[in-house]
Amino acid sequence: MRRILPLELQKAHAEIKEIARGYGLDTFETVFELVDYDEINEIAATGGFPTRYPHWRFGMDYDYLSKSYTYGLQKIYELVINNDPCYAYLQTGNEIVDQKLVMAHVYGHNDFFKNNMWFSKTNRKMLDEMANHSTRIREYQDRYGVDTVENFIDICCSIDNLIDFFSVFAQKPASTKQGGLEFNSDEFSLDSQVKKFGSKDYMDRYVNPRDYIEAQEKKNKEESEKMRKFPPEPQRDILNFLIHYAPLENWQREILSIVREEAYYFAPQGQTKIINEGWASYWHSTIMTQHVLKDSEVIDYADHHSGTMGSSPGQINPYKIGIELLRDIEDRWNRGKFGKEYEECDSLEHKKTWDKKTGLGRQKIFEVRKLHNDVTFIDSFMNEEFCHRLKLFTYGFNRRTGQYEILDRDWRKVKNQLLFSLTNFGNPIICVEDANFENRAELLLTHRHEGVDLEFEKASETLRNLQLLWRRPVHIATKYNNQPKLLTHDGKELKERDA
Amino acid sequence: MMSGIKRDHQRFKQIVKGKIKQNLKKYISHGELIGRQGKDYVSIPIPQIDLPRFKFGRRQSGGVGQGDGAPGTPLGPGQSEEGSQQAGNAGGEHYLEVDVTLAELAQMLAEELELPNIQPKGSGAVQAHKNKYSGIHTVGPNSLRHVKRTFKEALKRQIVTGQYNSEDPVIIPIKKDHRYRSWKSITKPENNAVILYMMDVSGSMGDEQKEIVRTESFWIDTWIRSQYNDVEIRYIIHDATAREVDQQTFYHTRESGGTLISSAYRLANEIIDKDFPVSEWNIYAFHFSDGDNWSGEDTKLCVDLLRYDLMPKLNAFCYGQVESRYGSGQFIKDLLDNFKEEEKMITSKIESKEAIYRSLKEFLGKGK
């Protein structure tokens, strides 16, 4: 059960809060709660929310966490929730120096949650909202049966990555645009006849050239074709599309909305893993080493900090990449290593010792934390020196040896590979193309193929789940081995054909 | 809070158990879960329940890593599986351990294969003695004193004699109040079983064939153990001669040379006569071979040995023929021709790992 923070920790909290404020960190009120290892595993298993709706997958995560804790494989140090006030959990039995480290780290996250623009649309009362979701789903379970409801949640979870991360920033959020997708009957009857300019007969072919008229007719025809198509534009927020147009029961629609809402709530955390952890680590490091650490705590601190930053060969650690890149930016802007003059300088020696004493570093990283997500962060700031210094490489699967191997250390390739894996949170980009495919009310999705095929087994299972929601055959147009393919699930079996 | 998570956890475990059941076929043929630890528990690594999603195929996509090494350096297999496709924050596929007792496993196997329970032969013929504490005596060693009963006696005595004072309820047992636990000897019919595994290790039996034998015998073991209190296992390997070996050797020896199956049968017969009196033991013999016996003459000898010596002593004789590149596979036909009417003779062809499932059903499905 929750315990009141011991005096020592309260004092540490007050101190860290003051320091953080002094640096200009702008945070929500932070509430620390002291919990034991089992409770922290519980809370972590449900994504940080003690009141989550019932579902076995939280049990699965709990099982994993508690087993890995029991066998000493891993331990959760910090757990912080994007909410106002911001809740964070400390584990009883940790050394005081660890608790301080966690507090400082949490202040970094808290500032990031509050100020980063990608978080600006998230619900800051999510603790309450999650509790509401839980109540609603429990009610449905009482009414329709635990298994029925759980099976439906399974289906929803199977497609919860089919959302549009950017739609929350659209002028009209997709969720309220229901009317926008309706047919417009005026435009629907659009005439393909092109209006001609009035002219005398003998002038007609000059005033209204035949080519032009034909082109216009064709264009109009296409326009009206497009209007007839539904949805008129491909939709990336497939969950939203299904909520509005799939033949669902009310309770199913409600659950799908809940799953979608939570997916959007968690989305920015996935989009900003590197920069967010980097930012928090930057601040725990700054606050601890420059203010809070006592002499006797230095060794423990160094041990745990390096533990967090450590990367095993062949894997990158978001904490490490994040903090290093932020420090790199700070250094570059402190020394004025940016802009035209620096870029065009071709003396390596000169570049290396470049120092204009601009001192803009701190200001720059505050700006970075406000504007960037992982993709733009890496894209804008990762450069050749950085890749070399951190010894980054790309790896791939070698069919001949049956192993993953280091492929290349070329920084452009590293950067591209990293960006690829971060784009759309590492998910394939899939849209609803046509809800009346072949005029049979079948659902056509398209996969924007970017060089990597979909995993076939999983794709066919997912298609099956979509079919359960849409209740008519569901297709996806994708590519396998560079061959356009159309996968179809009609509820009974999967069909595959060349498209 | 009998928190939500405990209930979610419970539910997850139930699903996982169900999952094992459904995937049992796959497990059997892949033989991946065979790692017996301790006496009773096996740990089965099973993948997490991974809801399907539209995802990239991993092999094609690769990723970014950090560390030393020239291009072409292989990453450790562990690391590559954990991968860092999503900048290292994706868990990758992690495996969970699920503890299933052997008894549960046998139960699942039985359900899956629809196995009948084995009918032990000579039921009750074997008597076992067992002591059970079931009564109370007035004499006995202090170590068996029944404290509650003793005090009850003392209380009764004190009330009867008027010594009991409810204001100051002190109860002091004297010698004759003492009560002791006592035991009875009960005799119970007991069924013991012995499994004799015989394997052909002649040149034509390769590693793949042995792997099949190993997987199959694990499941046979598991099943028979669930049916008897006490199971002994003996291993015999043979090429042109037969010898008894331990488990390790049984699975790992590779000999070369010819094949005289009769040598194994003769040895099996000797072992039975020496150690396992037929009246007390349920005896199962399993023989795995690629079916390529040296000569028709030896086959004839085998048939005779089986018919006159082994068969009368056995609950079942199971012959599993593993497909091999070299074998003619004649032996199974000879057995079938000679033992058409014999119920105890069970033969099965195991062409590949995938056939183990069917073969188990053939071996164990008769309830012998």
Side-chain angles (χ1 to χ4, degrees):
Chain A
M1 280 295 86
R2 307 287 141 74
R3 296 155 193 92
I4 295 175
L5 285 194
L7 207 58
E8 198 179 11
L9 289 180
Q10 283 184 24
K11 263 158 91 183
H13 181 191
E15 186 191 356
I16 289 166
K17 187 173 170 181
E18 239 1 85
I19 298 166
R21 198 158 287 166
Y23 275 114
L25 292 184
D26 166 30
T27 60
F28 297 120
E29 193 56 40
T30 312
V31 181
F32 284 103
E33 293 199 353
L34 203 55
V35 293
D36 68 23
Y37 73 92
D38 196 43
E39 287 161 343
I40 208 166
N41 287 339
E42 278 180 38
I43 299 168
T46 50
F49 294 88
T51 48
R52 200 81 189 268
Y53 61 82
H55 191 256
W56 57 262
R57 75 177 192 280
F58 305 128
M60 168 173 85
D61 290 346
Y62 171 76
D63 195 86
Y64 176 73
L65 288 169
S66 63
K67 275 187 181 150
S68 31
Y69 179 85
T70 312
Y71 296 113
L73 300 173
Q74 72 169 48
K75 174 169 166 178
I76 298 170
Y77 267 110
E78 45 114 359
L79 187 57
V80 52
I81 301 179
N82 166 28
N83 193 70
D84 179 16
C86 177
Y87 279 86
Y89 299 92
L90 299 174
Q91 194 174 319
T92 54
N94 276 352
E95 293 291 328
I96 181 88
V97 54
D98 292 340
Q99 308 285 32
K100 288 197 256 185
L101 189 157
V102 170
M103 285 179 173
H105 193 87
V106 162
Y107 266 90
H109 278 309
N110 190 343
D111 170 77
F112 196 88
F113 289 151
K114 189 169 172 190
N115 294 289
N116 182 271
M117 64 166 276
W118 301 97
F119 280 91
S120 59
K121 306 283 180 188
T122 54
N123 185 349
R124 309 296 190 172
K125 296 288 174 203
M126 203 56 188
L127 266 176
D128 303 342
E129 189 66 20
M130 288 281 188
N132 292 341
H133 292 172
S134 172
T135 313
R136 289 224 292 277
I137 288 184
R138 273 165 222 267
E139 269 174 32
Y140 295 137
Q141 285 192 334
D142 290 344
R143 207 173 315 157
Y144 304 103
V146 173
D147 288 345
T148 317
V149 171
E150 195 176 74
N151 290 343
F152 188 76
I153 296 176
D154 290 352
I155 295 175
C156 296
C157 290
S158 145
I159 54 171
D160 68 2
N161 57 343
L162 303 180
I163 57 175
D164 182 358
F165 294 125
F166 302 104
S167 71
V168 286
F169 296 102
Q171 285 297 323
K172 265 193 242 159
S175 56
T176 60
K177 219 167 70 176
Q178 195 170 357
L181 288 176
E182 300 293 341
F183 291 104
N184 185 331
S185 55
D186 292 345
E187 285 178 89
F188 195 58
S189 60
L190 205 109
D191 205 346
S192 63
Q193 203 71 41
V194 179
K195 221 177 151 200
K196 289 184 178 180
F197 291 104
S199 68
K200 302 226 163 67
D201 277 354
Y202 66 92
M203 285 295 282
D204 188 57
R205 59 191 178 118
Y206 302 106
V207 177
N208 299 307
R210 170 92 39 99
D211 297 357
Y212 172 79
I213 296 290
E214 270 170 10
Q216 281 301 305
E217 267 173 5
K218 205 174 156 211
K219 198 173 147 205
N220 283 354
K221 217 169 187 173
E222 271 169 16
E223 283 289 311
S224 67
E225 276 299 307
K226 204 169 161 191
M227 292 316 297
R228 213 160 296 168
K229 218 187 95 200
F230 183 75
E233 298 290 331
Q235 299 284 312
R236 271 184 65 184
D237 192 342
I238 298 179
L239 285 193
N240 186 50
F241 187 84
L242 291 172
I243 288 169
H244 288 309
Y245 303 106
L248 300 171
E249 309 268 337
N250 276 335
W251 65 271
Q252 293 176 325
R253 206 178 299 279
E254 192 71 11
I255 287 179
L256 193 53
S257 305
I258 287 174
V259 169
R260 176 174 174 270
E261 190 185 336
E262 297 189 0
Y264 273 107
Y265 169 80
F266 286 114
Q269 302 187 19
Q271 279 175 293
T272 60
K273 186 85 185 161
I274 295 178
I275 183 171
N276 195 349
E277 290 302 351
W279 182 252
S281 302
Y282 176 90
W283 285 107
H284 84 230
S285 160
T286 307
I287 292 174
M288 291 300 281
T289 52
Q290 302 193 4
H291 301 274
V292 179
L293 272 185
K294 296 194 190 112
D295 296 351
S296 60
E297 296 170 339
V298 169
I299 294 195
D300 281 338
Y301 167 78
D303 186 26
H304 292 148
H305 177 75
S306 54
T308 321
M309 296 302 139
S311 40
S312 54
Q315 249 194 47
I316 62 164
N317 177 344
Y319 292 75
K320 175 75 176 169
I321 300 283
I323 191 173
E324 289 292 344
L325 195 50
L326 280 170
R327 282 182 176 157
D328 194 52
I329 295 167
E330 187 180 24
D331 180 61
R332 272 146 65 187
W333 261 259
N334 270 340
R335 309 199 319 194
K337 289 168 82 171
F338 57 90
K340 191 164 185 279
E341 196 186 340
Y342 177 77
E343 298 296 334
E344 286 177 358
C345 169
D346 41 11
S347 150
L348 263 184
E349 183 58 32
H350 193 184
K351 267 186 148 175
K352 217 171 193 175
T353 55
W354 191 283
D355 194 353
K356 298 241 158 190
K357 305 223 183 324
T358 36
L360 293 170
R362 200 40 80 61
Q363 191 189 330
K364 182 67 187 176
I365 57 171
F366 267 91
E367 179 194 310
V368 167
R369 79 96 156 78
K370 192 167 181 64
L371 298 178
H372 286 275
N373 62 31
D374 284 347
V375 172
T376 60
F377 181 54
I378 298 289
D379 192 30
S380 312
F381 299 107
M382 185 180 257
N383 59 19
E384 189 169 5
E385 289 108 2
F386 185 81
C387 287
H388 284 184
R389 189 158 59 81
L390 287 191
K391 299 179 178 172
L392 300 180
F393 58 78
T394 59
Y395 67 79
F397 188 74
N398 185 335
R399 271 174 217 281
R400 204 164 38 78
T401 57
Q403 270 178 319
Y404 285 90
E405 287 179 1
I406 296 181
L407 284 184
D408 211 323
R409 289 187 176 275
D410 182 75
W411 73 279
R412 282 182 206 88
K413 288 188 183 153
V414 169
K415 189 166 169 174
N416 276 342
Q417 179 70 54
L418 192 55
L419 286 174
F420 175 76
S421 64
L422 292 170
T423 302
N424 201 28
F425 192 28
N427 284 308
I429 296 175
I430 292 168
C431 309
V432 178
E433 187 74 32
D434 191 350
N436 189 22
F437 185 53
E438 294 184 333
N439 203 20
R440 287 195 293 201
E442 300 178 0
L443 189 66
L444 173 67
L445 309 180
T446 46
H447 166 218
R448 204 181 298 162
H449 197 279
E450 285 165 326
V452 182
D453 297 347
L454 296 177
E455 202 173 311
F456 185 79
E457 286 293 314
K458 296 227 161 91
S460 55
E461 292 286 312
T462 314
L463 219 48
R464 158 89 186 133
N465 282 339
L466 279 163
Q467 194 278 334
L468 288 172
L469 296 177
W470 191 250
R471 302 204 198 155
R472 295 278 306 148
V474 178
H475 313 262
I476 185 165
T478 178
K479 283 186 193 168
Y480 280 99
N481 298 323
N482 260 329
Q483 274 298 327
K485 293 271 181 194
L486 188 72
L487 308 187
T488 302
H489 209 296
D490 61 4
K492 289 194 208 82
E493 55 176 354
L494 183 91
K495 285 183 205 124
E496 181 189 346
R497 64 177 156 100
D498 294 333
Chain B
M1 38 183 178
M2 155 59 189
S3 56
I5 203 75
K6 292 275 144 56
R7 186 202 46 225
D8 290 343
H9 192 199
Q10 204 56 40
R11 198 151 173 88
F12 169 65
K13 286 201 279 196
Q14 285 165 1
I15 295 173
V16 166
K17 289 199 176 173
K19 200 179 166 179
I20 290 180
K21 282 190 196 192
Q22 283 158 21
N23 292 357
L24 199 61
K25 293 168 206 167
K26 224 163 52 190
Y27 286 141
I28 295 175
S29 49
H30 292 143
E32 59 198 8
L33 77 175
I34 303 172
R36 234 191 279 188
Q37 287 160 0
K39 190 165 175 282
D40 239 8
Y41 282 84
V42 283
S43 298
I44 305 174
I46 59 134
Q48 277 200 295
I49 304 174
D50 210 357
L51 289 172
R53 284 188 172 83
F54 286 124
K55 272 167 112 179
F56 291 127
R58 289 194 59 83
R59 303 235 138 153
Q60 236 178 344
S61 50
V64 174
Q66 191 182 4
D68 292 315
T73 312
L75 307 173
Q79 279 145 10
S80 54
E81 281 309 311
E82 282 288 308
S84 50
Q85 200 197 343
Q86 290 176 8
N89 60 2
E93 305 241 321
H94 27 234
Y95 287 79
L96 284 186
E97 303 263 297
V98 174
D99 293 327
V100 182
T101 62
L102 271 187
E104 279 176 302
L105 210 54
Q107 192 55 42
M108 291 177 197
L109 182 73
E111 278 174 29
E112 183 72 14
L113 296 172
E114 296 166 347
L115 296 182
N117 279 342
I118 290 179
Q119 294 294 325
K121 73 173 173 185
S123 160
V126 188
Q127 306 284 307
H129 296 277
K130 225 180 156 186
N131 292 333
K132 200 179 171 200
Y133 291 108
S134 57
I136 294 289
H137 265 257
T138 49
V139 288
N142 260 340
S143 56
L144 290 179
R145 194 171 62 204
H146 194 305
V147 176
K148 206 169 164 185
R149 294 287 282 265
T150 303
F151 271 84
K152 220 170 168 178
E153 286 305 315
L155 180 62
K156 272 199 267 182
R157 179 179 47 76
Q158 285 185 350
I159 290 171
V160 168
T161 56
Q163 285 170 336
Y164 181 73
N165 174 8
S166 58
E167 298 292 301
D168 179 24
V170 179
I171 300 165
I172 303 164
I174 60 172
K175 184 111 204 310
K176 72 170 190 183
D177 298 331
H178 286 191
R179 292 294 180 273
Y180 304 87
R181 288 185 176 83
S182 72
W183 65 91
K184 262 190 210 147
S185 272
I186 48 170
T187 42
K188 246 172 82 177
E190 189 152 10
N191 299 305
N192 295 327
V194 56
I195 312 177
L196 290 168
Y197 286 114
M198 289 170 270
M199 179 163 50
D200 181 352
V201 291
S202 61
S204 48
M205 290 283 284
D207 286 341
E208 199 186 326
Q209 281 78 18
K210 290 209 190 91
E211 180 60 32
I212 290 174
V213 174
R214 198 169 85 95
T215 311
E216 178 129 3
S217 15
F218 171 81
W219 289 101
I220 293 169
D221 254 27
T222 307
W223 174 243
I224 294 184
R225 272 175 202 282
S226 76
Q227 300 285 317
Y228 292 104
N229 302 337
D230 197 6
V231 178
E232 284 237 8
I233 304 177
R234 303 290 275 266
Y235 300 94
I236 295 170
I237 56 176
H238 73 90
D239 45 13
T241 54
R243 63 196 165 101
E244 194 182 346
V245 294
D246 61 16
Q247 187 184 13
Q248 178 72 15
T249 327
F250 181 75
Y251 290 122
H252 294 101
T253 314
R254 183 181 175 138
E255 317 256 305
S256 53
T259 315
L260 289 175
I261 296 177
S262 63
S263 64
Y265 292 175
R266 196 173 293 122
L267 181 60
N269 194 29
E270 281 165 21
I271 291 174
I272 293 171
D273 285 346
K274 195 161 105 250
D275 295 338
F276 306 104
V278 180
S279 56
E280 291 174 27
W281 290 84
N282 292 283
I283 305 169
Y284 295 85
F286 287 84
H287 180 217
F288 298 97
S289 161
D290 56 3
D292 197 12
N293 206 4
W294 184 252
S295 64
E297 208 153 300
D298 189 66
T299 303
K300 227 172 122 216
L301 201 57
C302 290
V303 171
D304 284 347
L305 269 168
L306 281 173
R307 182 166 290 146
Y308 302 114
D309 291 318
L310 281 172
M311 277 317 202
K313 299 172 191 166
L314 297 175
N315 281 42
F317 180 86
C318 302
Y319 174 72
Q321 186 156 298
V322 191
E323 195 101 324
S324 120
R325 265 180 298 166
Y326 313 104
S328 61
Q330 180 59 35
F331 195 64
I332 194 166
K333 289 180 208 135
D334 296 334
L335 284 182
L336 281 173
D337 289 345
N338 283 293
F339 294 94
K340 265 194 204 106
E341 303 297 312
E342 181 56 83
E343 275 195 355
K344 289 177 184 175
M345 166 65 73
I346 306 170
T347 57
S348 171
K349 260 191 175 170
I350 318 163
E351 299 89 358
S352 63
K353 282 190 173 185
E354 282 65 41
I356 292 176
Y357 175 72
R358 177 185 46 78
S359 155
L360 277 175
K361 206 170 158 100
E362 286 171 358
F363 277 156
L364 305 174
K366 294 196 176 169
K368 286 286 160 190

